[in-house]
Coordinates of all heavy atoms in Angstrom, one line a residue:
M210 N -17.6 -30.4 -33.4 CA -17.7 -31.8 -33.6 C -18.0 -32.2 -34.9 O -17.4 -33.0 -35.6 CB -18.8 -32.3 -32.6 CG -18.9 -33.8 -32.6 SD -17.4 -34.7 -32.0 CE -17.8 -36.3 -32.2
A211 N -19.0 -31.5 -35.6 CA -19.4 -31.9 -36.9 C -18.3 -31.6 -37.9 O -18.2 -32.1 -39.0 CB -20.7 -31.1 -37.3
N212 N -17.5 -30.5 -37.6 CA -16.4 -30.2 -38.5 C -15.4 -31.3 -38.5 O -14.7 -31.5 -39.5 CB -15.7 -28.9 -38.0 CG -15.3 -28.1 -39.2 OD1 -15.5 -28.3 -40.3 ND2 -14.5 -27.0 -38.8
S213 N -15.1 -32.0 -37.4 CA -14.2 -33.1 -37.4 C -14.7 -34.3 -38.3 O -13.8 -35.1 -38.7 CB -13.9 -33.6 -36.0 OG -15.1 -34.1 -35.5
L214 N -15.9 -34.4 -38.5 CA -16.5 -35.5 -39.3 C -16.5 -35.1 -40.8 O -16.7 -36.0 -41.6 CB -18.0 -35.7 -38.9 CG -18.1 -36.4 -37.5 CD1 -19.6 -36.4 -37.1 CD2 -17.4 -37.7 -37.3
R215 N -16.2 -33.9 -41.1 CA -16.2 -33.5 -42.5 C -15.2 -34.3 -43.4 O -15.5 -34.7 -44.4 CB -15.9 -32.0 -42.6 CG -15.8 -31.4 -44.0 CD -15.5 -29.9 -44.0 NE -15.1 -29.4 -45.3 CZ -16.1 -29.2 -46.2 NH1 -17.4 -29.3 -46.0 NH2 -15.7 -28.7 -47.4
G216 N -14.0 -34.5 -42.8 CA -13.0 -35.3 -43.5 C -13.5 -36.7 -43.8 O -13.2 -37.2 -44.9
E217 N -14.2 -37.3 -42.9 CA -14.7 -38.7 -43.1 C -15.8 -38.7 -44.2 O -15.8 -39.5 -45.0 CB -15.3 -39.2 -41.8 CG -14.3 -39.6 -40.8 CD -15.0 -40.2 -39.5 OE1 -15.8 -41.1 -39.7 OE2 -14.7 -39.7 -38.5
V218 N -16.6 -37.6 -44.2 CA -17.7 -37.5 -45.2 C -17.1 -37.3 -46.6 O -17.4 -37.9 -47.6 CB -18.6 -36.3 -44.9 CG1 -19.7 -36.1 -46.0 CG2 -19.4 -36.6 -43.6
V219 N -16.0 -36.5 -46.7 CA -15.4 -36.2 -48.0 C -14.7 -37.5 -48.5 O -14.7 -37.9 -49.7 CB -14.4 -35.1 -47.9 CG1 -13.6 -34.9 -49.1 CG2 -15.1 -33.8 -47.6
K220 N -14.0 -38.2 -47.6 CA -13.4 -39.4 -47.9 C -14.4 -40.4 -48.5 O -14.2 -41.2 -49.4 CB -12.6 -40.0 -46.8 CG -11.9 -41.3 -47.0 CD -11.2 -41.8 -45.8 CE -10.6 -43.1 -46.0 NZ -10.0 -43.7 -44.8
L221 N -15.6 -40.6 -47.7 CA -16.6 -41.5 -48.2 C -17.1 -41.1 -49.6 O -17.3 -42.0 -50.4 CB -17.7 -41.5 -47.2 CG -18.9 -42.3 -47.4 CD1 -18.5 -43.8 -47.5 CD2 -20.0 -42.1 -46.4
Y222 N -17.3 -39.8 -49.8 CA -17.8 -39.4 -51.1 C -16.9 -39.7 -52.2 O -17.2 -40.2 -53.3 CB -18.1 -37.8 -51.0 CG -18.7 -37.2 -52.3 CD1 -20.1 -37.3 -52.4 CD2 -18.0 -36.7 -53.3 CE1 -20.7 -36.8 -53.6 CE2 -18.5 -36.2 -54.4 CZ -19.9 -36.3 -54.6 OH -20.6 -35.8 -55.7
K223 N -15.6 -39.5 -51.9 CA -14.6 -39.8 -53.0 C -14.5 -41.3 -53.2 O -14.4 -41.7 -54.4 CB -13.2 -39.2 -52.6 CG -13.1 -37.8 -52.6 CD -11.7 -37.3 -52.2 CE -11.5 -35.8 -52.3 NZ -10.2 -35.4 -52.0
T224 N -14.6 -42.1 -52.2 CA -14.6 -43.5 -52.3 C -15.8 -44.0 -53.2 O -15.6 -44.8 -54.1 CB -14.6 -44.2 -51.0 OG1 -13.5 -43.8 -50.2 CG2 -14.6 -45.7 -51.1
L225 N -17.0 -43.5 -52.8 CA -18.2 -43.8 -53.6 C -18.1 -43.3 -55.1 O -18.5 -44.0 -56.0 CB -19.4 -43.3 -53.0 CG -19.8 -44.0 -51.7 CD1 -20.9 -43.3 -50.9 CD2 -20.3 -45.5 -52.1
L226 N -17.5 -42.2 -55.2 CA -17.4 -41.7 -56.6 C -16.4 -42.5 -57.4 O -16.7 -42.8 -58.6 CB -16.9 -40.2 -56.5 CG -17.0 -39.3 -57.8 CD1 -18.5 -39.2 -58.1 CD2 -16.4 -38.0 -57.5
Y227 N -15.4 -43.0 -56.8 CA -14.4 -43.9 -57.5 C -15.1 -45.2 -57.9 O -14.9 -45.7 -59.0 CB -13.2 -44.1 -56.6 CG -12.2 -45.1 -57.2 CD1 -11.3 -44.7 -58.2 CD2 -12.1 -46.4 -56.7 CE1 -10.4 -45.6 -58.7 CE2 -11.2 -47.2 -57.2 CZ -10.3 -46.9 -58.3 OH -9.5 -47.7 -58.8
L228 N -15.8 -45.8 -56.9 CA -16.5 -47.1 -57.1 C -17.6 -47.0 -58.2 O -17.9 -47.9 -58.9 CB -17.1 -47.6 -55.8 CG -16.1 -48.1 -54.8 CD1 -16.8 -48.5 -53.5 CD2 -15.3 -49.3 -55.4
G229 N -18.2 -45.8 -58.2 CA -19.2 -45.6 -59.2 C -18.8 -45.6 -60.7 O -19.7 -45.7 -61.6
R230 N -17.6 -45.5 -61.0 CA -17.1 -45.6 -62.3 C -17.4 -46.9 -63.1 O -17.6 -46.9 -64.2 CB -15.6 -45.4 -62.4 CG -15.1 -44.1 -61.9 CD -13.6 -43.9 -62.0 NE -12.9 -45.0 -61.5 CZ -11.7 -45.4 -61.8 NH1 -11.0 -44.7 -62.7 NH2 -11.1 -46.5 -61.2
E231 N -17.6 -48.0 -62.2 CA -17.9 -49.3 -62.9 C -19.4 -49.7 -62.6 O -19.7 -50.9 -62.8 CB -17.0 -50.4 -62.3 CG -15.5 -50.2 -62.6 CD -14.7 -51.3 -62.0 OE1 -15.2 -52.4 -61.8 OE2 -13.6 -51.0 -61.5
Y232 N -20.2 -48.8 -62.2 CA -21.6 -49.1 -61.8 C -22.3 -49.6 -63.1 O -22.1 -49.1 -64.2 CB -22.3 -47.9 -61.3 CG -23.6 -48.3 -60.7 CD1 -23.6 -48.9 -59.4 CD2 -24.8 -47.9 -61.1 CE1 -24.8 -49.2 -58.8 CE2 -26.0 -48.2 -60.6 CZ -26.0 -48.9 -59.3 OH -27.2 -49.2 -58.7
P233 N -23.1 -50.7 -63.0 CA -23.8 -51.3 -64.2 C -24.7 -50.3 -65.0 O -24.7 -50.4 -66.3 CB -24.6 -52.4 -63.6 CG -24.0 -52.8 -62.3 CD -23.3 -51.5 -61.9
K234 N -25.2 -49.3 -64.3 CA -26.1 -48.4 -65.1 C -25.4 -47.2 -65.6 O -26.0 -46.3 -66.3 CB -27.3 -47.9 -64.2 CG -28.3 -49.0 -63.9 CD -29.5 -48.4 -63.2 CE -30.6 -49.4 -63.1 NZ -31.8 -48.9 -62.4
G235 N -24.1 -47.2 -65.4 CA -23.3 -46.0 -65.8 C -22.8 -45.1 -64.8 O -23.4 -44.9 -63.7
A236 N -21.7 -44.5 -65.0 CA -21.0 -43.6 -64.1 C -21.9 -42.3 -63.9 O -22.0 -41.8 -62.7 CB -19.7 -43.2 -64.5
D237 N -22.5 -41.8 -64.9 CA -23.3 -40.5 -64.8 C -24.5 -40.8 -63.9 O -24.9 -39.9 -63.1 CB -23.7 -40.1 -66.2 CG -22.5 -39.5 -67.0 OD1 -21.5 -39.1 -66.4 OD2 -22.5 -39.6 -68.2
Y238 N -25.2 -41.9 -64.2 CA -26.3 -42.3 -63.4 C -25.9 -42.3 -61.9 O -26.5 -41.8 -61.0 CB -27.0 -43.6 -63.8 CG -28.0 -44.1 -62.9 CD1 -29.3 -43.6 -63.0 CD2 -27.8 -45.1 -62.0 CE1 -30.3 -44.2 -62.2 CE2 -28.8 -45.6 -61.2 CZ -30.1 -45.1 -61.3 OH -31.0 -45.5 -60.5
F239 N -24.8 -43.1 -61.5 CA -24.4 -43.2 -60.2 C -24.0 -41.8 -59.6 O -24.3 -41.5 -58.4 CB -23.2 -44.1 -60.2 CG -22.8 -44.5 -58.8 CD1 -23.4 -45.5 -58.1 CD2 -21.8 -43.8 -58.1 CE1 -23.0 -45.9 -56.8 CE2 -21.4 -44.1 -56.8 CZ -22.0 -45.2 -56.1
R240 N -23.3 -41.0 -60.3 CA -22.8 -39.8 -59.8 C -24.0 -38.9 -59.5 O -24.0 -38.2 -58.4 CB -22.0 -39.0 -60.9 CG -21.3 -37.8 -60.3 CD -20.4 -37.1 -61.4 NE -19.5 -38.1 -62.0 CZ -19.6 -38.2 -63.4 NH1 -20.5 -37.6 -64.1 NH2 -18.8 -39.1 -64.0
S241 N -25.0 -38.8 -60.3 CA -26.2 -38.0 -60.0 C -26.9 -38.5 -58.7 O -27.4 -37.6 -58.0 CB -27.1 -37.9 -61.3 OG -27.7 -39.2 -61.5
R242 N -27.1 -39.8 -58.6 CA -27.7 -40.3 -57.5 C -26.9 -40.1 -56.2 O -27.4 -39.8 -55.1 CB -27.9 -41.8 -57.6 CG -28.8 -42.3 -58.8 CD -30.3 -42.1 -58.5 NE -30.7 -42.7 -57.3 CZ -31.4 -43.8 -57.2 NH1 -32.0 -44.3 -58.3 NH2 -31.8 -44.3 -56.1
L243 N -25.5 -40.2 -56.3 CA -24.7 -40.0 -55.2 C -24.7 -38.5 -54.7 O -24.8 -38.2 -53.5 CB -23.3 -40.3 -55.6 CG -22.2 -40.1 -54.5 CD1 -22.4 -41.0 -53.3 CD2 -20.8 -40.3 -55.2
K244 N -24.7 -37.6 -55.7 CA -24.8 -36.3 -55.4 C -26.1 -35.9 -54.7 O -26.1 -35.1 -53.7 CB -24.6 -35.4 -56.7 CG -24.5 -33.9 -56.4 CD -24.3 -33.1 -57.7 CE -24.2 -31.6 -57.3 NZ -23.9 -30.8 -58.6
A245 N -27.2 -36.4 -55.1 CA -28.5 -36.2 -54.7 C -28.6 -36.7 -53.2 O -29.1 -36.0 -52.3 CB -29.6 -36.7 -55.5
A246 N -28.0 -37.8 -52.9 CA -28.0 -38.4 -51.6 C -27.2 -37.5 -50.6 O -27.7 -37.3 -49.4 CB -27.5 -39.8 -51.6
F247 N -26.1 -37.0 -51.0 CA -25.3 -36.2 -50.1 C -25.9 -34.9 -49.9 O -25.9 -34.3 -48.8 CB -23.9 -36.1 -50.7 CG -22.9 -37.2 -50.2 CD1 -23.0 -38.5 -50.7 CD2 -22.0 -37.0 -49.2 CE1 -22.3 -39.5 -50.3 CE2 -21.2 -38.0 -48.7 CZ -21.3 -39.3 -49.2
L248 N -26.5 -34.3 -51.0 CA -27.1 -33.0 -50.8 C -28.3 -33.0 -50.0 O -28.7 -32.1 -49.3 CB -27.5 -32.4 -52.2 CG -26.3 -31.9 -53.0 CD1 -26.8 -31.4 -54.4 CD2 -25.5 -30.8 -52.3
K249 N -29.1 -34.2 -50.0 CA -30.2 -34.3 -49.1 C -29.9 -34.2 -47.7 O -30.7 -33.6 -46.9 CB -30.9 -35.7 -49.4 CG -32.2 -35.9 -48.6 CD -32.7 -37.3 -49.0 CE -32.0 -38.4 -48.3 NZ -32.5 -39.7 -48.4
N250 N -28.7 -34.6 -47.3 CA -28.3 -34.6 -45.9 C -27.3 -33.5 -45.5 O -26.6 -33.6 -44.5 CB -27.8 -36.0 -45.4 CG -28.7 -37.0 -45.6 OD1 -29.9 -36.9 -45.0 ND2 -28.5 -38.1 -46.3
K251 N -27.1 -32.5 -46.4 CA -26.0 -31.5 -46.2 C -26.2 -30.6 -45.0 O -25.3 -30.1 -44.5 CB -25.9 -30.6 -47.5 CG -27.1 -29.6 -47.7 CD -26.8 -28.8 -48.9 CE -27.9 -27.7 -48.9 NZ -27.6 -26.8 -49.9
D252 N -27.5 -30.4 -44.6 CA -27.8 -29.6 -43.5 C -27.7 -30.3 -42.1 O -28.1 -29.7 -41.1 CB -29.1 -28.8 -43.7 CG -29.1 -27.9 -44.9 OD1 -28.0 -27.3 -45.1 OD2 -30.1 -27.8 -45.6
E253 N -27.4 -31.5 -42.1 CA -27.4 -32.3 -40.8 C -26.3 -31.8 -39.9 O -25.2 -31.7 -40.3 CB -27.2 -33.8 -41.1 CG -27.5 -34.6 -40.0 CD -28.8 -34.6 -39.4 OE1 -29.8 -34.8 -40.2 OE2 -29.0 -34.5 -38.2
K254 N -26.7 -31.5 -38.6 CA -25.8 -30.9 -37.7 C -25.5 -31.9 -36.5 O -24.5 -31.8 -35.9 CB -26.3 -29.6 -37.1 CG -26.6 -28.6 -38.1 CD -25.3 -28.1 -38.7 CE -25.6 -26.9 -39.6 NZ -24.6 -26.6 -40.6
D255 N -26.4 -32.8 -36.3 CA -26.2 -33.7 -35.2 C -25.1 -34.8 -35.4 O -25.2 -35.5 -36.5 CB -27.5 -34.5 -34.9 CG -27.5 -35.4 -33.7 OD1 -26.7 -35.3 -32.9 OD2 -28.2 -36.5 -33.8
P256 N -24.0 -34.8 -34.6 CA -22.9 -35.7 -34.9 C -23.3 -37.2 -34.9 O -22.7 -37.9 -35.7 CB -21.9 -35.4 -33.7 CG -22.3 -34.1 -33.2 CD -23.8 -33.9 -33.5
E257 N -24.2 -37.5 -34.0 CA -24.6 -39.0 -34.0 C -25.3 -39.4 -35.3 O -25.1 -40.5 -35.9 CB -25.5 -39.2 -32.8 CG -24.8 -39.2 -31.4 CD -23.7 -40.1 -31.4 OE1 -23.8 -41.3 -31.8 OE2 -22.6 -39.7 -30.9
K258 N -26.2 -38.5 -35.8 CA -26.8 -38.7 -37.1 C -25.8 -38.8 -38.2 O -26.0 -39.6 -39.1 CB -27.9 -37.7 -37.3 CG -28.6 -37.8 -38.6 CD -29.6 -38.9 -38.6 CE -30.4 -38.9 -39.9 NZ -31.2 -40.1 -40.1
I259 N -24.8 -38.0 -38.2 CA -23.8 -37.9 -39.2 C -23.0 -39.2 -39.2 O -22.8 -39.8 -40.2 CB -22.8 -36.7 -39.1 CG1 -23.7 -35.4 -39.3 CG2 -21.7 -36.8 -40.0 CD1 -22.9 -34.1 -39.0
K260 N -22.8 -39.7 -38.0 CA -22.0 -40.9 -37.9 C -22.8 -42.2 -38.4 O -22.4 -43.0 -39.0 CB -21.6 -41.3 -36.4 CG -20.5 -40.4 -35.9 CD -20.2 -40.6 -34.4 CE -19.2 -39.7 -33.9 NZ -18.9 -39.8 -32.6
Q261 N -24.1 -42.1 -38.1 CA -25.1 -43.2 -38.7 C -25.1 -43.1 -40.2 O -25.0 -44.1 -40.9 CB -26.5 -43.0 -38.3 CG -26.7 -43.3 -36.7 CD -28.1 -43.0 -36.3 OE1 -28.9 -42.4 -37.0 NE2 -28.4 -43.4 -35.1
L262 N -25.1 -41.9 -40.8 CA -25.1 -41.8 -42.3 C -23.7 -42.2 -42.9 O -23.8 -42.9 -44.0 CB -25.4 -40.3 -42.6 CG -26.8 -39.8 -42.4 CD1 -26.8 -38.3 -42.5 CD2 -27.8 -40.4 -43.2
I263 N -22.7 -41.9 -42.2 CA -21.4 -42.4 -42.6 C -21.3 -43.9 -42.6 O -20.8 -44.6 -43.5 CB -20.2 -41.8 -41.8 CG1 -20.1 -40.3 -42.1 CG2 -18.9 -42.5 -42.0 CD1 -19.2 -39.6 -41.1
A264 N -21.8 -44.5 -41.5 CA -21.9 -46.0 -41.4 C -22.7 -46.6 -42.6 O -22.3 -47.6 -43.1 CB -22.5 -46.4 -40.1
R265 N -23.9 -46.0 -42.9 CA -24.7 -46.4 -44.0 C -24.0 -46.3 -45.3 O -24.0 -47.2 -46.2 CB -25.9 -45.6 -44.0 CG -26.9 -46.0 -45.1 CD -28.2 -45.3 -44.9 NE -29.2 -45.7 -46.0 CZ -30.2 -45.1 -46.3 NH1 -30.6 -44.0 -45.6 NH2 -31.0 -45.5 -47.3
G266 N -23.1 -45.2 -45.5 CA -22.4 -45.1 -46.7 C -21.3 -46.1 -46.8 O -21.0 -46.6 -47.9
E267 N -20.6 -46.5 -45.7 CA -19.6 -47.5 -45.7 C -20.2 -48.8 -46.0 O -19.6 -49.7 -46.7 CB -18.9 -47.5 -44.3 CG -18.0 -46.3 -44.2 CD -17.4 -46.1 -42.8 OE1 -17.9 -46.9 -41.8 OE2 -16.6 -45.3 -42.6
F268 N -21.5 -49.1 -45.6 CA -22.2 -50.3 -45.8 C -22.4 -50.4 -47.4 O -22.2 -51.5 -48.0 CB -23.5 -50.4 -45.2 CG -24.3 -51.6 -45.5 CD1 -24.1 -52.9 -45.1 CD2 -25.4 -51.4 -46.5 CE1 -24.8 -53.9 -45.4 CE2 -26.3 -52.5 -46.8 CZ -25.9 -53.8 -46.3
V269 N -22.8 -49.2 -48.0 CA -22.9 -49.2 -49.5 C -21.7 -49.5 -50.2 O -21.7 -50.2 -51.2 CB -23.5 -47.8 -49.9 CG1 -23.6 -47.7 -51.4 CG2 -24.9 -47.7 -49.3
V270 N -20.6 -49.0 -49.7 CA -19.2 -49.3 -50.3 C -19.0 -50.8 -50.3 O -18.6 -51.3 -51.3 CB -18.1 -48.5 -49.5 CG1 -16.8 -49.1 -49.9 CG2 -18.2 -47.0 -49.7
K271 N -19.2 -51.4 -49.2 CA -19.0 -52.9 -49.1 C -20.0 -53.7 -50.1 O -19.6 -54.6 -50.7 CB -19.2 -53.4 -47.7 CG -18.2 -52.9 -46.7 CD -18.5 -53.4 -45.3 CE -17.5 -52.8 -44.3 NZ -17.8 -53.1 -43.0
E272 N -21.2 -53.2 -50.2 CA -22.1 -53.8 -51.1 C -21.6 -53.6 -52.6 O -21.8 -54.5 -53.3 CB -23.5 -53.2 -51.0 CG -24.2 -53.6 -49.7 CD -24.5 -55.0 -49.6 OE1 -25.1 -55.6 -50.6 OE2 -24.3 -55.7 -48.6
L273 N -21.2 -52.4 -52.9 CA -20.7 -52.2 -54.3 C -19.5 -53.1 -54.5 O -19.4 -53.6 -55.6 CB -20.3 -50.8 -54.5 CG -21.5 -49.8 -54.7 CD1 -21.0 -48.4 -54.6 CD2 -22.2 -50.1 -55.9
E274 N -18.5 -53.1 -53.6 CA -17.4 -54.0 -53.8 C -17.8 -55.5 -54.0 O -17.3 -56.2 -54.8 CB -16.4 -53.9 -52.6 CG -15.7 -52.6 -52.6 CD -14.9 -52.3 -51.3 OE1 -15.0 -53.1 -50.3 OE2 -14.1 -51.5 -51.3
A275 N -18.8 -55.9 -53.2 CA -19.2 -57.3 -53.4 C -19.9 -57.5 -54.7 O -19.7 -58.6 -55.4 CB -20.3 -57.7 -52.3
L276 N -20.6 -56.5 -55.2 CA -21.2 -56.6 -56.5 C -20.2 -56.7 -57.6 O -20.3 -57.5 -58.5 CB -22.1 -55.3 -56.8 CG -22.7 -55.1 -58.2 CD1 -23.8 -56.1 -58.4 CD2 -23.2 -53.7 -58.4
Y277 N -19.1 -55.9 -57.5 CA -18.1 -56.0 -58.5 C -17.3 -57.3 -58.5 O -17.0 -57.8 -59.5 CB -17.1 -54.7 -58.4 CG -17.8 -53.4 -58.6 CD1 -17.3 -52.3 -58.0 CD2 -19.0 -53.3 -59.3 CE1 -17.9 -51.1 -58.2 CE2 -19.6 -52.1 -59.5 CZ -19.1 -50.9 -59.0 OH -19.7 -49.7 -59.2
F278 N -17.0 -57.7 -57.3 CA -16.3 -59.0 -57.2 C -17.1 -60.1 -57.7 O -16.6 -61.0 -58.4 CB -15.9 -59.3 -55.8 CG -14.8 -58.4 -55.2 CD1 -14.8 -57.9 -54.0 CD2 -13.6 -58.3 -56.0 CE1 -13.7 -57.0 -53.5 CE2 -12.5 -57.5 -55.5 CZ -12.7 -56.9 -54.4
L279 N -18.4 -60.1 -57.5 CA -19.2 -61.2 -58.0 C -19.4 -61.1 -59.5 O -19.3 -62.2 -60.2 CB -20.7 -61.0 -57.4 CG -21.7 -62.1 -57.8 CD1 -21.3 -63.4 -57.4 CD2 -23.1 -61.7 -57.2
R280 N -19.4 -60.0 -60.0 CA -19.4 -59.8 -61.5 C -18.1 -60.3 -62.1 O -18.2 -61.0 -63.1 CB -19.7 -58.3 -61.8 CG -19.9 -58.1 -63.3 CD -20.3 -56.7 -63.7 NE -19.2 -55.7 -63.2 CZ -19.4 -54.5 -63.4 NH1 -20.5 -53.9 -63.9 NH2 -18.4 -53.6 -63.1
K281 N -17.0 -60.0 -61.5 CA -15.7 -60.4 -62.0 C -15.6 -62.0 -61.9 O -15.1 -62.7 -62.8 CB -14.5 -59.7 -61.3 CG -14.5 -58.3 -61.7 CD -13.4 -57.6 -60.9 CE -13.3 -56.1 -61.3 NZ -12.3 -55.4 -60.4
Y282 N -16.1 -62.5 -60.8 CA -16.0 -64.0 -60.6 C -16.9 -64.6 -61.7 O -16.5 -65.7 -62.2 CB -16.5 -64.3 -59.2 CG -16.8 -65.8 -59.0 CD1 -15.8 -66.7 -58.8 CD2 -18.1 -66.3 -59.0 CE1 -16.1 -68.0 -58.6 CE2 -18.4 -67.6 -58.8 CZ -17.3 -68.5 -58.7 OH -17.5 -69.8 -58.5
R283 N -18.1 -64.1 -61.9 CA -19.0 -64.8 -62.9 C -18.3 -64.7 -64.3 O -18.4 -65.7 -65.1 CB -20.3 -64.1 -63.0 CG -21.2 -64.5 -61.7 CD -22.5 -63.8 -61.8 NE -23.3 -64.3 -60.7 CZ -24.4 -63.6 -60.3 NH1 -24.8 -62.5 -60.9 NH2 -25.2 -64.0 -59.3
A284 N -17.6 -63.6 -64.6 CA -16.9 -63.4 -65.9 C -15.8 -64.5 -66.0 O -15.7 -65.2 -67.1 CB -16.5 -62.1 -66.1
M285 N -15.0 -64.6 -64.9 CA -14.0 -65.6 -65.0 C -14.5 -67.0 -65.1 O -13.9 -67.8 -65.8 CB -13.1 -65.4 -63.8 CG -12.3 -64.1 -63.7 SD -11.2 -64.0 -65.1 CE -9.9 -65.2 -64.6
K286 N -15.5 -67.3 -64.3 CA -16.1 -68.7 -64.4 C -16.6 -69.0 -65.8 O -16.5 -70.0 -66.3 CB -17.1 -68.7 -63.4 CG -17.7 -70.1 -63.2 CD -18.8 -70.2 -62.1 CE -19.3 -71.6 -62.1 NZ -20.5 -71.7 -61.1
Q287 N -17.3 -68.0 -66.4 CA -17.8 -68.2 -67.8 C -16.7 -68.4 -68.8 O -16.9 -69.2 -69.7 CB -18.6 -67.0 -68.1 CG -19.4 -67.2 -69.4 CD -20.2 -65.9 -69.6 OE1 -19.9 -64.8 -69.2 NE2 -21.3 -66.1 -70.4
R288 N -15.6 -67.8 -68.5 CA -14.4 -68.0 -69.5 C -13.8 -69.4 -69.5 O -13.4 -70.0 -70.4 CB -13.4 -67.0 -69.2 CG -13.7 -65.6 -69.6 CD -12.5 -64.6 -69.5 NE -13.0 -63.4 -69.6 CZ -12.7 -62.3 -68.8 NH1 -11.8 -62.4 -67.9 NH2 -13.1 -61.1 -69.1
Y289 N -13.8 -70.0 -68.2 CA -13.1 -71.3 -68.0 C -14.0 -72.5 -67.9 O -13.5 -73.5 -68.1 CB -12.2 -71.1 -66.8 CG -11.1 -70.1 -67.0 CD1 -11.0 -68.9 -66.4 CD2 -10.1 -70.5 -67.9 CE1 -10.0 -68.0 -66.5 CE2 -9.0 -69.6 -68.1 CZ -9.0 -68.4 -67.4 OH -8.0 -67.4 -67.6
Y290 N -15.2 -72.3 -67.7 CA -16.1 -73.4 -67.6 C -17.3 -73.3 -68.5 O -17.9 -72.2 -68.6 CB -16.7 -73.6 -66.1 CG -15.6 -73.7 -65.1 CD1 -15.2 -72.7 -64.3 CD2 -14.9 -75.0 -65.0 CE1 -14.1 -72.9 -63.4 CE2 -13.9 -75.2 -64.0 CZ -13.5 -74.2 -63.2 OH -12.5 -74.3 -62.3
S291 N -17.7 -74.3 -69.1 CA -18.9 -74.2 -70.0 C -20.1 -74.5 -69.2 O -20.0 -75.0 -68.0 CB -18.8 -75.3 -71.1 OG -18.8 -76.6 -70.5
D292 N -21.2 -74.2 -69.7 CA -22.5 -74.3 -69.0 C -22.9 -75.9 -68.9 O -23.9 -76.2 -68.1 CB -23.6 -73.5 -69.6 CG -23.4 -72.0 -69.4 OD1 -22.7 -71.7 -68.4 OD2 -23.9 -71.2 -70.2
D293 N -22.3 -76.6 -69.7 CA -22.8 -78.1 -69.7 C -22.3 -78.9 -68.4 O -22.9 -79.9 -68.1 CB -22.1 -78.8 -71.0 CG -22.7 -78.1 -72.2 OD1 -23.7 -77.5 -72.2 OD2 -21.9 -78.3 -73.3
Q294 N -21.4 -78.4 -67.7 CA -20.8 -79.1 -66.6 C -21.8 -79.0 -65.4 O -22.3 -78.1 -65.0 CB -19.5 -78.7 -66.2 CG -18.5 -79.0 -67.3 CD -17.1 -78.5 -66.9 OE1 -17.0 -77.6 -66.0 NE2 -16.1 -79.0 -67.6

């Protein structure tokens, strides 16, 4: 059972690694934190616990996407509207 979740875990790791390229503190900082988080749970065998960890990782993906969209929105707004309005 845990072996079938391996693909999901690898996909999540790759997604987070890709999103970490634009992280405000830098890609190296994000990569080291990501690796530490995944290594901390590498010995987990319980499929339910693994599914919970995957769900938490997917939540982090959504939060990062929201952070990036907000940053892009603020940059666009700053370009087209002055602070006086």
Side-chain angles (χ1 to χ4, degrees):
M210 180 70 179
N212 214 9
S213 65
L214 295 173
R215 180 178 168 81
E217 289 183 50
V218 172
V219 171
K220 181 181 174 186
L221 177 64
Y222 187 82
K223 287 181 179 182
T224 302
L225 285 167
L226 198 58
Y227 176 78
L228 288 173
R230 296 183 310 159
E231 296 181 32
Y232 195 70
K234 289 189 176 183
D237 292 332
Y238 173 82
F239 187 86
R240 188 179 316 114
S241 65
R242 299 282 305 249
L243 178 65
K244 184 176 180 179
F247 272 76
L248 286 177
K249 181 177 77 172
N250 296 306
K251 73 176 184 171
D252 295 325
E253 190 63 51
K254 300 291 185 204
D255 182 27
E257 292 303 317
K258 178 69 173 171
I259 294 171
K260 288 178 184 177
Q261 288 177 351
L262 292 168
I263 290 171
R265 184 175 179 191
E267 290 170 352
F268 175 77
V269 171
V270 167
K271 290 178 186 175
E272 289 291 316
L273 283 172
E274 289 173 343
L276 173 74
Y277 296 156
F278 286 134
L279 181 62
R280 186 172 62 182
K281 289 177 184 178
Y282 169 77
R283 286 180 177 163
M285 291 298 288
K286 186 177 177 184
Q287 187 177 24
R288 287 183 193 141
Y289 292 107
Y290 300 105
S291 64
D292 290 334
D293 298 338
Q294 294 178 344

